Structures are given as C-alpha cells and as structure tokens.
Amino acid sequence: MTRARRLTVLGAAAALAGSMVAIPAAAGSAAPPRPDAARGRATAAPEKSPVAVGYGGAVSSVDADASAAGISVLRKGGNAVDAAVATAAALGVTEPYSAGIGGGGYFVYYQARSHSIRTLDGRETAPRTAGKDLFLENGTPLPFDQAVTSGLGIGTPGTPATWDTALRTWGSRSLGQVLGPARKLAADGFTVDATFRQQTADNEARFRDFPATAGLFLPGGKLPAVGSTMKNPDLARTYGELAHKGVGALYNGALGRDLVRTVRKPPVRPGSTRRVRPGKLTAGDLRAYRALSQAPTHTRYRGLDVYGMAPSSSGGTTVAEGLNILEKSDLSRLSEQQYLHRYLEASRIAFADRGRWVGDPAQENVPTKGLTSQRFADSRACLIRDDKALTSPLAPGDPRHPKPCGSAGKAAPTTYEGPNTTHLTVADKWGNVVAYTLTIEQTGGSGIVVPGRGFLLNNELTDFSFAPADRAVHDPNLPGPGKRPRSSMSPTIVLRHGRPVVALGSPGGATIITTVLQTLVNHLDRGMPLVDAIAAPRASQRNAAQTELEPALWNSALRTQLEALGHAFKPNPEIGAATGVQRLPDGRWLAAAEKVRRGGGAAMVVHPK
C-alpha cells in the first residue's frame, strides 16, 4: 500500500466514469519546502499529475518524489533501467510500508536495440530448511496475523540483487550513482500526508512492540504529524553502504549479519505480550540468493505481442489466459453489461487455472506454455454463457491436454494474498522501457525494522498457502526449501511489430491481475485513453463466490443487471493503483497514473510538450 492520500477515495471513486525526525510544517502549507543540504536552501516538493506528455523519457509511480528521482537520472543521461532503480530506491524512502530493500519484486525490460523483452525474478525465497509445515503448529495453520508479524514470514530479500543485476546487465550507471537521489531524500526528508499517518496509526500497536520500528516511525513516541518532514538518516547511511560496498554488504556482509540476527531473534520490546516467532533465515540463505533472469510470458492479442512475468509470478500466465479467453469477443461493440460479464467470467476461469497450476517452477511442474496458449483458452472460453454467470469455486482445466469445457480435478477456493505493493513504469529517449513491481507484502511488512538500518523486513512468505485449501487438490504454492512464493505481480509490456505500445502494472495483491487485465481491455478494446483506462471503476473476480466492486460500479445500474445473470458482489473502496507509459505515434511518451486512487499518482516526462 502506498503513503499517498486516500481521504477522498470513496466519494471520488463514485464520480469516476536509528531515528526519524519530524519537523513541523508551516501552517496552511500543503507541501512545505524541503531543506537542500548541499546548497543550504529549500526546494519545493514536486507537483503531482496523473498524466504527462513529452520527449526525453517518462516516469510514472505513485509518489512525486520517487518519479522526480527517476526523471533526474534520465535528465543526466541515464537510461530506463538506471531511472527505474532510482525511482524504486526513492520509493523505499517515501513508501517504506510498501517497498524497500527488505523486500522483492519483478522487473520486465524492453531493450529497444534488440526489440526484445527480458525479465528478472527478484522474488524473496524461503530458508533452505523450510518445509511444507513452515506455518503449521501441531498440524494447524498459524493465525495469519501472527505469521505476518514474525520472523517466520520473512524471506530472503530480492530487491537489492534485482537492482544490481539489472544495472550490471542493462544499465549505464553504477548502483552508487542511481542511489544518489534516494540517499538525499532519506537525509532531507519527505512530507507526511494523511495516509502515511493513517497507515502508521493502523500499525501503531505492533510497531510499538519493536523498539527499532517505534523509534523510526513513531518519532518522540507519537504518530507523525501531517505536514511534517520525515527524515531517515539510518536508511541514508544504509544506501551509502550499498553505494560504496555494493549489494554484497547485504548478501555477504555486515548488513546481512544484522538482517539475519533480526530475523532469528526479533528485537521485541521488553514486557510486550505479543508472541513473535523467530525465523529460520541464515547467512547461507543470503549468500545463495540470486535474481533470476528468465524468459517472459508471451501471447498474441489482436495483433499485439503481450509480454509479462513468468512463474514464480502468476501475473503473466493469468493475464495472458484472460486476454486469450476474451480474444474472440468483440469487446468494442458490446454493451457495458455484456463486456463486464465476459471480463469477469474470463478472470474467474483464469484464476481457477492459476490456483491449480502455478507455483515456483524450480519445485513445481508449471505448464506455462499451455496456460498462455490460445488452444487452452478456447477450451475454457466455451464455459462462458451470455445469460448466466458461472459459480465459484470453479474447477480448473488441464492446459497439458485441453478438452472443450473439460476440468482437471476438484475446485478449490483462491487462497488469500495481501492487497499491497507498489509499481513504477519508465521509458527513456532511446525507446527502452521498464515495468517494475516491488513489495514488502503487508502494509508495513513484518513490522520489524533492522535496528540502525532504516528499513522494514518483508512478510512475503505468508504468500505461500499455509495448508492446501482442499487436501484432495494439489496445491503448487505450499512452502518448500529455498522456494519462491507465488505472486500476482503483473508488470506488462505490449509491443506492435517489435516496438512498445503500452507498459503498465499495479499494486493490490491478487487484484493486481484483474487491474492489469481490465486496464488493458479498457485501453486496447474499449478505446479509452490510457489515463482514463486506469481511472475507470474496477471489478475483481478471482474464482470467488463474490466479485469485488468499487463504489462507482457498486452504486450503478450495472450491478443490478449483472446480478440478474447470477453474479454476486461485495464492495471494495479501492482496487489497485496502476501506472503506465505509452509511446505515441509522433514519438512522444505519455506517462499515466491514477487520478484519485491512493491520492493520485505522479506521471512525469523529461521535456513536457
């Protein structure tokens, strides 16, 4: 979840069609200036806009400071990879409850010179001693909240390795150079808004149980004031250590030793009644970690090439299957009710297949090519009826041996996945593009800050299934030694004749997949400008008994029309927070972000025009 403002989400959605120091802001100032330590004067916080058009490259993220960090790298001649890492590092400062070096993610890169797509799997890994019983006690799954706030939920972070691998393979700047804007931001501080304060308040009880976390996020023992400037000198020093020593400082150095010590003996406040179970991560787990270079998922959709993230993420396969199911429907000519019905059914079917087949391919036999094939999608599309909704949980099909309307075993409900993360999208003047989604899982991750280091640790291992939803159905997402938990992150790049058309992604846990699928259909089929395709009200069906609806759909006649077909709904105030970039026919870049969700995003270009 981001720190961007969320106070007006409900009303506005209905209108859519170690220490940290707090410095009070001037009264009435919505965006007070930040001190510029290098020059001894103040600099204004960057403006937020949901859309920007121009030349020289583009950056879109949920946060203006982070987007500005990426733009500064592009202006100095860096490429899209350099700017993506700079933006991500800045998000680790301003969005510490969503992302940071204590987490992981997925990096999708379009290289203009070769017209090719490359990806990095920077997902966190379980300790090599982990078994299927990681979250079981006496044969019973742990309560979810207890697993979250524990050492057990913490996986080996993949974000630093992802940055290092991306820069060494495709970048033009060193890690130290691209960390510069984030180091300065951590030292100078960012402006606290109402959502950051609220997210801190939501986590206050557990933050107080960890002295290092409380010292960082509860300055003076209090919630940070809206409008104050929040500094993180510990993180500035940590970024400095990574800049000078490289990521070996974490994977084989003092920073890593501090991390392992924190996981294995969580530093709980004396007198706390919270039971915080220790984790099993070791220095050997850190040394063994690698960000994996692998082929993307690929499918053809209406003459376009759609590339995404292959397993361990389920994003690429599930978005591809949803698109393939919808391919034979002329969505541009359907009514809003007909379009939404088919979109929801395609998503329901794709999630049924995701749950049965997708896990870490290093330990599971994942039929990626079958899941993304048109033949399999056609065999599943025949389940859709125009006059009646399907019932969930729906049984999966078999992508290895597709049979029309056939199933491959019992139905099982979709397991829970937290709704948080962040996404950024970047393009440069040479035409290179990055779509990068990264996370620490829950808002606030595990709640545990590495003392003196300035960052939260993830609780990513809670994305594993604690136990099979149905013991009669194979679950490919149970824990295992060194295994990567299944993710729904869906960074996506679309090409036409080898050149970029649009790139996008979103946070939101399992709703990431439906957000990306719906935004693509809005833009490619329904003809919406990218910023409007992102802003349009969302519905999310994930092989569940009820589909989640944002207020603009919940309060519309469309809900009644869809209920007449057998759909059942429940409200969700906000689904996702997408960002994207688009290459315009005249060579300009368009950057797009949310208009309202999470306070609106920050789209920027190097040379607006």
Side-chain angles (χ1 to χ4, degrees):
M1 184 175 292
T2 69
R3 74 173 178 91
R5 302 148 190 84
R6 196 195 286 188
L7 293 183
T8 60
V9 166
L10 286 172
L16 288 171
S19 62
M20 183 173 277
V21 182
I23 303 173
S29 174
R34 292 191 307 275
D36 185 329
R39 298 177 177 82
R41 59 182 173 82
T43 57
E47 295 278 335
K48 264 192 173 185
S49 173
V51 65
V53 180
Y55 296 100
V59 179
S60 186
S61 81
V62 296
D63 182 78
D65 286 310
S67 293
I71 289 291
S72 72
V73 169
L74 293 176
R75 284 190 176 133
K76 294 175 182 177
N79 66 21
V81 172
D82 306 323
V85 175
T87 304
L91 286 167
V93 179
T94 62
E95 304 283 331
Y97 302 156
S98 301
I101 59 172
Y106 298 96
F107 194 100
V108 177
Y109 170 57
Y110 167 76
Q111 187 176 61
R113 185 178 65 236
S114 61
H115 306 294
S116 62
I117 301 286
R118 316 289 178 85
T119 77
L120 291 174
D121 180 331
R123 185 66 157 157
E124 301 87 340
T125 55
R128 291 172 297 174
T129 58
K132 292 182 179 180
D133 61 349
L134 179 65
F135 293 110
L136 301 181
E137 284 188 356
N138 300 318
T140 302
L142 290 175
F144 187 77
D145 62 334
Q146 293 183 29
V148 167
T149 309
S150 76
L152 283 176
I154 300 171
T156 303
T159 291
T162 301
W163 295 354
D164 182 62
T165 305
L167 290 169
R168 286 189 294 102
T169 308
W170 309 304
S172 67
R173 300 290 188 268
S174 69
L175 179 62
Q177 287 174 308
V178 300
L179 286 178
R183 287 177 67 186
K184 186 177 188 309
L185 186 59
D188 292 351
F190 65 90
T191 303
V192 172
D193 63 18
T195 297
F196 186 88
R197 178 185 168 90
Q198 184 59 55
Q199 290 177 349
T200 309
D202 292 343
N203 283 284
E204 183 177 4
R206 66 179 187 140
F207 281 5
R208 289 195 183 280
D209 281 334
F210 302 99
T213 308
L216 187 60
F217 296 120
L218 299 168
K222 299 179 181 179
L223 292 172
V226 174
S228 63
T229 298
M230 299 296 286
K231 300 182 179 183
N232 191 341
D234 285 346
L235 184 57
R237 285 189 292 270
T238 297
Y239 278 169
E241 188 169 344
L242 292 173
H244 290 107
K245 298 181 180 179
V247 298
L250 188 144
Y251 293 104
N252 193 24
L255 177 55
R257 290 192 290 274
D258 289 349
L259 191 156
V260 168
R261 186 182 308 114
T262 304
V263 173
R264 296 182 69 87
K265 190 175 181 180
V268 182
R269 172 180 58 83
S272 170
T273 59
R274 185 184 302 273
R275 183 182 177 188
V276 181
R277 293 165 176 83
K280 301 178 180 180
L281 200 68
T282 68
D285 292 318
L286 293 184
R287 287 194 298 271
Y289 187 85
R290 298 292 183 274
L292 304 178
S293 177
Q294 61 188 47
T297 59
H298 171 249
T299 194
R300 295 275 295 170
Y301 185 68
R302 308 201 192 285
L304 303 172
D305 291 287
V306 181
Y307 293 91
M309 196 67 221
S312 59
S313 178
S314 65
T317 57
T318 313
V319 169
E321 184 179 351
L323 290 173
N324 288 339
I325 289 171
L326 292 170
E327 176 116 35
K328 293 186 177 179
S329 299
D330 188 351
L331 301 179
S332 66
R333 295 180 178 272
L334 295 180
S335 69
E336 192 77 4
Q337 181 253 25
Q338 292 170 323
Y339 144 66
L340 284 171
H341 170 65
R342 293 192 190 180
Y343 152 70
L344 294 176
E345 296 296 75
S347 181
R348 187 194 311 270
I349 293 167
F351 264 87
D353 299 327
R354 164 195 183 266
R356 169 60 182 85
W357 298 105
V358 182
D360 182 350
Q363 299 188 29
E364 300 288 339
N365 184 17
V366 184
T368 300
K369 288 187 177 180
L371 288 167
T372 58
S373 72
Q374 190 63 53
R375 180 186 174 209
F376 178 58
D378 290 345
S379 77
R380 301 291 279 157
C382 66
L383 293 169
I384 298 176
R385 292 175 48 179
D386 286 337
D387 61 344
K388 185 178 181 181
L390 293 163
T391 300
S392 289
L394 185 72
D398 189 344
R400 304 165 305 176
H401 308 289
K403 296 179 180 179
C405 302
S407 66
K410 293 181 62 178
T414 299
T415 53
Y416 177 77
E417 185 176 341
N420 309 305
T421 294
T422 194
H423 178 82
L424 62 97
T425 322
V426 179
D428 65 29
K429 63 183 178 181
W430 297 283
N432 304 302
V433 179
V434 172
Y436 182 23
T437 314
L438 62 159
T439 184
I440 60 170
E441 177 47 15
Q442 294 285 114
T443 303
S446 64
I448 304 172
V449 164
V450 180
R453 295 299 190 169
F455 65 93
L456 283 156
L457 291 171
N458 70 83
N459 64 290
E460 214 63 60
L461 301 188
T462 60
D463 272 353
F464 282 123
S465 304
F466 288 15
D470 186 327
R471 294 190 181 278
V473 180
H474 175 71
D475 188 334
N477 191 42
L478 293 171
K483 192 173 183 179
R484 298 175 187 232
R486 181 173 62 208
S487 170
S488 294
M489 289 183 266
S490 307
T492 302
I493 298 178
V494 181
L495 307 182
R496 178 184 286 113
H497 306 309
R499 299 185 183 278
V501 173
V502 66
L504 74 158
S506 176
T511 70
I512 292 172
I513 292 168
T514 58
T515 294
V516 169
L517 177 60
Q518 190 173 6
T519 303
L520 285 171
V521 170
N522 285 343
H523 181 56
L524 301 176
D525 290 286
R526 306 289 285 180
M528 295 182 185
L530 183 58
V531 70
D532 294 333
I534 288 172
R538 294 186 182 129
S540 181
Q541 166 52 238
R542 306 186 301 280
N543 197 27
Q546 293 177 301
T547 295
E548 295 176 13
L549 291 185
E550 288 189 323
L553 290 173
W554 178 263
N555 297 320
S556 75
L558 284 167
R559 175 164 68 99
T560 303
Q561 295 169 14
L562 290 166
E563 285 172 339
L565 298 179
H567 289 277
F569 298 105
K570 64 180 180 181
N572 185 331
E574 185 180 87
I575 298 173
T579 75
V581 298
Q582 177 186 2
R583 188 72 166 191
L584 299 178
D586 61 7
R588 292 181 298 166
W589 287 107
L590 181 148
E594 297 287 355
K595 294 180 179 180
V596 175
R597 293 182 187 92
R598 303 192 183 187
M604 298 181 184
V605 293
V606 175
H607 301 297
K609 190 173 182 180

